Amino acid sequence: MPEIRQCDSGVTLQNETEHLMTPKDEKECLKLPIWLKALVTLSILIAIAALYLYTDKFGSELSSNQEMWGQFGDYIGGTLNPLFAFTALLALLYTIKLQSKELRNSAKQLKKSAIALESQNSVLEKQNFEATFFQLLRLYNDIVKELHINETVRTTAVETGTGLGIGLKSKTVKHEDRQCIEALHNKLINNHLNKVARGDILKPNQEAINEAYQEFYSEFGNLIGHYFRIIYNIIKFVDNSHIKPEQKNTYTNLLRAQLSKHELGLLLYNCLSKYGSEKMLPLVAKYKILKHIEADVMLSPDDLDMIDKH
């Protein structure tokens, strides 16, 4: 039996090519640019020069005349207000530029966080899927290991004592695990489906197979019912998952690798019967579970064509 090995989940994160601000960049942004420092320094020097020229021309004594103070205010305001207003405007524009840069950086950080969160969710979703899938595979193998059937085999034997007579002697053989599946498959072919080959069931081929399989299932359904249900649920679980279609094929291929040739034979006729034709057959056909079935486990190679039609 192929070894079941759980694959490591992985995800490729989207590369963030845009530059994000580092602490060093943020520190640089807090520093005033040289041109702004020069402009502020120039404004202060001009203000000092204006005061110097005024005091040099009109003296430095404080006047008690209100009109003189008004003229001084007009002089200072008219001289320095345009300069300070221009400096303030440039400083405001620089502040707006810094804020815009911070907003862009915040948007980049949010985008990166969203990508990381989405990637993390994808990883968790895939891990949960794989954990459930491989648990189902283990359950399937446990069910196979628990299968067993006792078969009575008759052999010829010489009578003890006189040694003159030859009779039949019976012994019980226990089939377990996949040997049980092989024994069940042989019983299906030899005891039931051969009736179809001999023409004992006068119905169209698939209906005849269905009737023969129902006879087989009524005898051994207690053994194989839950076996086929776990196979169906594994395929259905993969089919209903949100993984990519090519990944679904990978996981159904893992399931197919677990099935022996006699299991494929039983699965074929289960799908052609009323027990599997409605739900299991479409999934088996979709994922080509019977892709590698061998001719010696089929009553006729034409039986596989009924699967392929779906």
Side-chain angles (χ1 to χ4, degrees):
M1 181 186 69
E3 179 184 359
I4 301 175
R5 180 172 297 175
Q6 185 165 352
C7 302
D8 293 331
S9 296
V11 65
T12 302
L13 298 177
Q14 180 178 348
N15 292 327
E16 185 67 38
T17 56
E18 297 175 330
H19 175 68
L20 298 177
M21 290 183 66
T22 63
K24 183 178 179 181
D25 295 330
E26 294 177 355
K27 187 176 180 180
E28 290 294 329
C29 286
L30 294 177
K31 294 182 179 179
L32 293 177
I34 296 177
W35 63 267
L36 185 56
K37 290 180 179 179
L39 184 59
V40 171
T41 302
L42 179 62
S43 299
I44 294 173
L45 292 176
I46 292 176
I48 294 173
L51 289 173
Y52 174 77
L53 291 174
Y54 185 87
T55 56
D56 182 64
K57 184 69 175 177
F58 301 105
S60 58
E61 294 182 1
L62 296 178
S63 174
S64 58
N65 188 344
Q66 185 177 5
E67 184 178 352
M68 294 294 295
W69 280 102
Q71 293 174 356
F72 176 75
D74 292 339
Y75 167 74
I76 294 297
T79 303
L80 300 182
N81 280 352
L83 178 62
F84 286 162
F86 178 70
T87 303
L89 176 62
L90 293 181
L92 177 62
L93 293 176
Y94 178 71
T95 302
I96 293 174
K97 179 182 178 181
L98 285 180
Q99 290 177 344
S100 299
K101 189 173 183 179
E102 286 291 335
L103 288 174
R104 287 195 300 270
N105 184 66
S106 298
K108 294 173 186 177
Q109 292 283 11
L110 289 174
K111 181 180 178 181
K112 185 178 180 181
S113 298
I115 293 173
L117 181 60
E118 182 179 355
S119 300
Q120 184 180 13
N121 290 337
S122 299
V123 170
L124 291 176
E125 184 177 354
K126 188 174 182 182
Q127 287 177 343
N128 291 334
F129 167 81
E130 288 189 345
T132 304
F133 174 78
F134 286 102
Q135 182 62 35
L136 287 172
L137 273 190
R138 283 190 287 270
L139 179 59
Y140 153 78
N141 281 287
D142 290 341
I143 290 175
V144 172
K145 291 177 182 178
E146 292 175 0
L147 291 176
H148 64 276
I149 185 175
N150 295 325
E151 184 177 16
T152 301
V153 180
R154 293 184 177 182
T155 59
T156 57
V158 178
E159 292 184 2
T160 59
T162 62
L164 299 176
I166 297 178
L168 294 177
K169 183 180 180 180
S170 299
K171 68 175 182 179
T172 300
V173 178
K174 185 177 183 179
H175 301 289
E176 297 179 309
D177 203 334
R178 282 180 165 77
Q179 288 183 349
C180 176
I181 293 177
E182 182 178 355
L184 289 172
H185 175 265
N186 291 336
K187 288 181 178 294
L188 172 63
I189 297 293
N190 298 329
N191 299 346
H192 300 279
L193 291 180
N194 272 341
K195 296 179 182 179
V196 179
R198 293 194 302 264
D200 296 346
I201 304 177
L202 301 178
K203 291 183 178 180
N205 195 36
Q206 186 166 356
E207 293 182 18
I209 290 175
N210 177 54
E211 183 173 320
Y213 188 86
Q214 286 186 59
E215 294 177 0
F216 168 78
Y217 195 89
S218 64
E219 185 176 357
F220 300 105
N222 61 322
L223 278 176
I224 61 175
H226 62 306
Y227 165 79
F228 283 119
R229 282 191 291 272
I230 187 62
I231 292 179
Y232 167 72
N233 279 285
I234 292 174
I235 305 175
K236 181 182 177 183
F237 171 72
V238 175
D239 187 61
N240 290 339
S241 67
H242 298 294
I243 60 177
K244 297 178 181 179
E246 58 270 20
Q247 292 178 324
K248 291 183 179 182
N249 290 328
T250 298
Y251 289 105
T252 53
N253 288 346
L254 286 176
L255 171 63
R256 185 174 62 203
Q258 309 299 310
L259 303 176
S260 66
K261 72 174 188 177
H262 294 98
E263 288 179 270
L264 293 176
L266 280 178
L267 181 60
L268 167 65
Y269 293 107
N270 182 269
C271 289
L272 294 178
S273 73
K274 71 173 186 177
Y275 301 103
S277 59
E278 181 179 351
K279 295 182 178 181
M280 182 176 284
L281 175 56
L283 291 176
V284 168
K286 178 179 180 179
Y287 293 104
K288 297 180 174 57
I289 303 298
L290 300 174
K291 179 179 180 180
H292 301 300
I293 191 171
E294 299 179 20
D296 61 345
V297 297
M298 294 185 287
L299 185 66
S300 168
D302 296 335
D303 297 342
L304 186 60
D305 294 337
M306 289 184 268
I307 298 290
D308 294 335
K309 290 178 182 178
H310 290 77

